[in-house]
């Protein structure tokens, strides 16, 4: 019985880490252009640092056939784009002010963040 309790507590700790504490590795773009691969339920890279007050070009390469991977949404910018499977899909963002801008699929299962500084 003790072993089940320990295993359950360990599983809870892993779930808390994965869903609330884990931060993917941050990638910096020197020219405000970056390619994001959409595959296996994630955007890679998912945390992207770009320069403020410059246009941003994101190229999404969708390799995941899941319906959720079909659309990327930038809610604070009111931008949405359908991603064609196996193609490079370009999303042009206007010059952004300093801050964090979330992007995700329509069901918010795939998540990413633009860090503008």
């Amino acid at each position: 019985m003790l072993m089940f309790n320990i295993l359950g507590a360990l599983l809870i700790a892993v779930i808390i880490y994965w869903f609330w504490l884990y931060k993917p590795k941050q990638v910096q773009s020197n020219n405000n252009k970056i390619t994001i691969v959409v595959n296996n339920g994630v955007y890679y890279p998912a945390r992207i640092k770009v320069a403020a007050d410059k246009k941003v070009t994101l190229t999404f390469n969708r390799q995941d056939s899941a319906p959720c991977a079909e659309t990327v949404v930038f809610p604070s910018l009111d931008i949405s784009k359908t991603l064609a499977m196996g193609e490079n899909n370009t999303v042009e963002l206007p010059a952004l002010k300093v801050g964090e801008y979330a992007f995700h699929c329509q069901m918010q299962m795939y998540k990413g963040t633009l860090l503008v500084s």
Side-chain angles (χ1 to χ4, degrees):
M1 188 64 148
L2 179 63
M3 191 60 133
F4 287 116
N5 289 339
I6 292 172
L7 186 60
L10 184 60
L11 183 60
I12 290 170
V14 168
I15 289 171
I16 289 171
Y17 172 76
W18 182 256
F19 287 103
W20 290 286
L21 302 177
Y22 173 73
K23 298 280 186 204
K25 182 180 173 186
Q26 180 176 306
V27 173
Q28 181 162 351
S29 173
N30 295 328
N31 59 1
N32 278 15
K33 294 181 181 181
I34 196 153
T35 298
I36 301 167
V37 177
V38 183
N39 198 12
N40 295 324
V42 296
Y43 294 124
Y44 183 78
R47 290 181 63 81
I48 304 158
K49 189 172 183 179
V50 295
D53 300 321
K54 293 183 180 177
K55 188 171 91 169
V56 179
T57 303
L58 302 176
T59 303
F60 287 85
N61 184 323
R62 179 179 170 214
Q63 300 174 0
D64 195 332
S65 62
C68 195
E70 188 174 35
T71 304
V72 63
V73 179
F74 294 82
S76 62
L77 302 173
D78 199 28
I79 294 174
S80 177
K81 169 95 175 182
T82 300
L83 305 176
M85 180 73 178
E87 295 181 18
N88 287 331
N89 303 273
T90 302
V91 177
E92 300 282 341
L93 302 178
L96 302 171
K97 295 182 181 179
V98 174
E100 289 191 10
Y101 298 85
F103 60 95
H104 51 76
C105 67
Q106 68 270 23
M107 292 174 24
Q108 297 187 28
M109 295 175 70
Y110 299 61
K111 295 181 180 185
T113 306
L114 277 178
L115 306 165
V116 181
S117 60

